[in-house]
Amino acid sequence: SSARDFGVVVLISLTMWGMIGWAYVETAHAFVQTPELAGLTFSRTMLLMAASIGGSLLQLPIIGWFTQIAVTAAAMHGFYGAPIEAATACGAMLLVVTFLCIIPTGLVYSRIEHVSLKKIASESEAAGAADPG
Protein backbone atom coordinates (compact mmCIF):
# COMPACT_ATOMS: atom_id res chain seq x y z
CA SER A 1 0.00 0.00 0.00
CA SER A 2 3.05 2.27 0.29
CA ALA A 3 6.66 2.49 -0.86
CA ARG A 4 7.81 1.59 2.67
CA ASP A 5 5.67 -1.56 2.71
CA PHE A 6 7.02 -2.50 -0.70
CA GLY A 7 10.58 -2.01 0.56
CA VAL A 8 9.90 -4.22 3.58
CA VAL A 9 8.43 -6.96 1.38
CA VAL A 10 11.42 -6.79 -0.99
CA LEU A 11 13.85 -6.99 1.94
CA ILE A 12 12.02 -9.98 3.44
CA SER A 13 11.95 -11.73 0.06
CA LEU A 14 15.65 -11.15 -0.59
CA THR A 15 16.49 -12.34 2.92
CA MET A 16 14.43 -15.49 2.40
CA TRP A 17 16.08 -16.26 -0.96
CA GLY A 18 19.50 -15.57 0.55
CA MET A 19 18.78 -18.09 3.30
CA ILE A 20 17.66 -20.65 0.72
CA GLY A 21 20.88 -20.01 -1.21
CA TRP A 22 22.95 -20.60 1.92
CA ALA A 23 20.98 -23.79 2.58
CA TYR A 24 22.03 -24.95 -0.90
CA VAL A 25 25.67 -24.06 -0.19
CA GLU A 26 25.73 -25.82 3.17
CA THR A 27 23.99 -28.90 1.79
CA ALA A 28 26.48 -29.14 -1.08
CA HIS A 29 29.40 -28.64 1.33
CA ALA A 30 28.20 -31.66 3.32
CA PHE A 31 29.42 -33.84 0.43
CA VAL A 32 33.06 -33.55 1.47
CA GLN A 33 34.21 -36.55 -0.58
CA THR A 34 33.09 -34.82 -3.79
CA PRO A 35 35.35 -31.80 -4.39
CA GLU A 36 33.00 -30.39 -7.06
CA LEU A 37 30.28 -30.04 -4.43
CA ALA A 38 32.40 -29.42 -1.33
CA GLY A 39 33.90 -26.31 -2.92
CA LEU A 40 30.68 -24.88 -4.35
CA THR A 41 30.43 -21.11 -3.88
CA PHE A 42 27.32 -19.06 -3.16
CA SER A 43 27.34 -17.50 -6.61
CA ARG A 44 27.55 -20.91 -8.30
CA THR A 45 24.57 -22.14 -6.32
CA MET A 46 22.43 -19.49 -8.03
CA LEU A 47 22.70 -21.51 -11.25
CA LEU A 48 21.79 -24.64 -9.31
CA MET A 49 18.80 -22.88 -7.73
CA ALA A 50 17.62 -21.77 -11.18
CA ALA A 51 17.80 -25.36 -12.42
CA SER A 52 15.93 -26.55 -9.35
CA ILE A 53 13.20 -23.95 -9.88
CA GLY A 54 13.00 -25.03 -13.52
CA GLY A 55 12.61 -28.63 -12.43
CA SER A 56 9.77 -27.71 -10.12
CA LEU A 57 7.69 -25.82 -12.69
CA LEU A 58 5.77 -28.89 -13.81
CA GLN A 59 5.37 -31.06 -10.77
CA LEU A 60 2.95 -33.75 -9.75
CA PRO A 61 2.63 -34.63 -6.07
CA ILE A 62 5.39 -37.03 -4.97
CA ILE A 63 6.29 -37.99 -8.59
CA GLY A 64 7.49 -34.43 -9.10
CA TRP A 65 10.00 -34.84 -6.30
CA PHE A 66 11.88 -37.38 -8.40
CA THR A 67 11.72 -35.08 -11.42
CA GLN A 68 13.18 -32.24 -9.40
CA ILE A 69 15.92 -34.46 -7.97
CA ALA A 70 16.79 -35.64 -11.50
CA VAL A 71 16.90 -32.10 -12.92
CA THR A 72 19.03 -30.85 -10.03
CA ALA A 73 21.37 -33.84 -10.29
CA ALA A 74 21.72 -33.36 -14.05
CA ALA A 75 22.56 -29.69 -13.46
CA MET A 76 25.25 -30.54 -10.90
CA HIS A 77 26.68 -33.20 -13.19
CA GLY A 78 26.57 -31.00 -16.28
CA PHE A 79 27.59 -27.63 -14.83
CA TYR A 80 30.08 -28.68 -12.17
CA GLY A 81 31.20 -32.14 -13.30
CA ALA A 82 30.05 -33.83 -10.10
CA PRO A 83 29.67 -37.63 -10.29
CA ILE A 84 26.06 -38.52 -11.00
CA GLU A 85 25.73 -40.59 -7.80
CA ALA A 86 26.86 -37.74 -5.55
CA ALA A 87 24.80 -35.25 -7.57
CA THR A 88 21.67 -37.39 -7.16
CA ALA A 89 22.26 -37.76 -3.42
CA CYS A 90 22.84 -34.02 -3.11
CA GLY A 91 19.68 -33.33 -5.14
CA ALA A 92 17.68 -35.54 -2.79
CA MET A 93 19.12 -33.79 0.25
CA LEU A 94 18.37 -30.38 -1.27
CA LEU A 95 14.74 -31.46 -1.64
CA VAL A 96 14.61 -32.58 1.99
CA VAL A 97 16.35 -29.46 3.30
CA THR A 98 14.41 -26.89 1.28
CA PHE A 99 10.92 -28.41 1.12
CA LEU A 100 10.34 -31.11 3.69
CA CYS A 101 12.18 -29.75 6.72
CA ILE A 102 9.39 -27.24 7.43
CA ILE A 103 6.91 -30.03 8.24
CA PRO A 104 8.04 -30.58 11.88
CA THR A 105 7.94 -26.81 12.51
CA GLY A 106 4.44 -26.62 11.02
CA LEU A 107 3.24 -29.51 13.17
CA VAL A 108 4.63 -27.93 16.34
CA TYR A 109 3.12 -24.56 15.44
CA SER A 110 -0.26 -26.16 14.70
CA ARG A 111 -0.22 -27.70 18.19
CA ILE A 112 0.63 -24.33 19.75
CA GLU A 113 -2.23 -22.69 17.83
CA HIS A 114 -4.58 -25.59 18.71
CA VAL A 115 -5.33 -26.47 15.09
CA SER A 116 -7.32 -29.68 14.83
CA LEU A 117 -7.74 -31.38 11.46
CA LYS A 118 -10.69 -33.38 12.86
CA LYS A 119 -12.44 -30.18 13.89
CA ILE A 120 -11.78 -28.57 10.49
CA ALA A 121 -13.10 -31.68 8.69
CA SER A 122 -16.28 -31.76 10.78
CA GLU A 123 -16.87 -28.02 10.26
CA SER A 124 -16.36 -28.51 6.52
CA GLU A 125 -18.86 -31.40 6.46
CA ALA A 126 -21.37 -29.32 8.44
CA ALA A 127 -20.96 -26.40 6.05
CA GLY A 128 -21.38 -28.73 3.07
CA ALA A 129 -24.56 -30.27 4.54
CA ALA A 130 -26.03 -26.83 5.29
CA ASP A 131 -25.37 -25.59 1.74
CA PRO A 132 -28.19 -26.93 -0.50
CA GLY A 133 -26.36 -25.89 -3.70
Side-chain angles (χ1 to χ4, degrees):
S1 63
S2 70
R4 183 173 187 271
D5 290 342
F6 178 73
V8 169
V9 168
V10 167
L11 183 64
I12 290 170
S13 180
L14 290 175
T15 301
M16 182 177 63
W17 280 107
M19 290 169 51
I20 292 169
W22 279 114
Y24 270 62
V25 170
E26 293 301 319
T27 302
H29 285 179
F31 291 84
V32 294
Q33 297 297 321
T34 308
E36 298 87 358
L37 299 176
L40 203 62
T41 62
F42 183 80
S43 60
R44 292 188 68 152
T45 59
M46 295 299 114
L47 185 60
L48 186 58
M49 283 176 60
S52 179
I53 291 169
S56 68
L57 288 178
L58 180 63
Q59 218 179 50
L60 299 170
I62 300 176
I63 296 171
W65 294 348
F66 298 105
T67 306
Q68 188 166 0
I69 291 169
V71 168
T72 307
M76 283 184 267
H77 181 66
F79 298 147
Y80 311 130
I84 196 67
E85 297 85 3
T88 303
C90 187
M93 288 310 302
L94 285 170
L95 177 80
V96 169
V97 167
T98 56
F99 289 107
L100 302 180
C101 70
I102 194 65
I103 291 172
T105 305
L107 291 173
V108 168
Y109 190 70
S110 68
R111 294 295 292 175
I112 291 171
E113 291 294 317
H114 304 293
V115 174
S116 169
L117 293 179
K118 290 179 184 179
K119 182 179 176 185
I120 292 171
S122 64
E123 288 175 357
S124 177
E125 288 176 10
D131 185 24

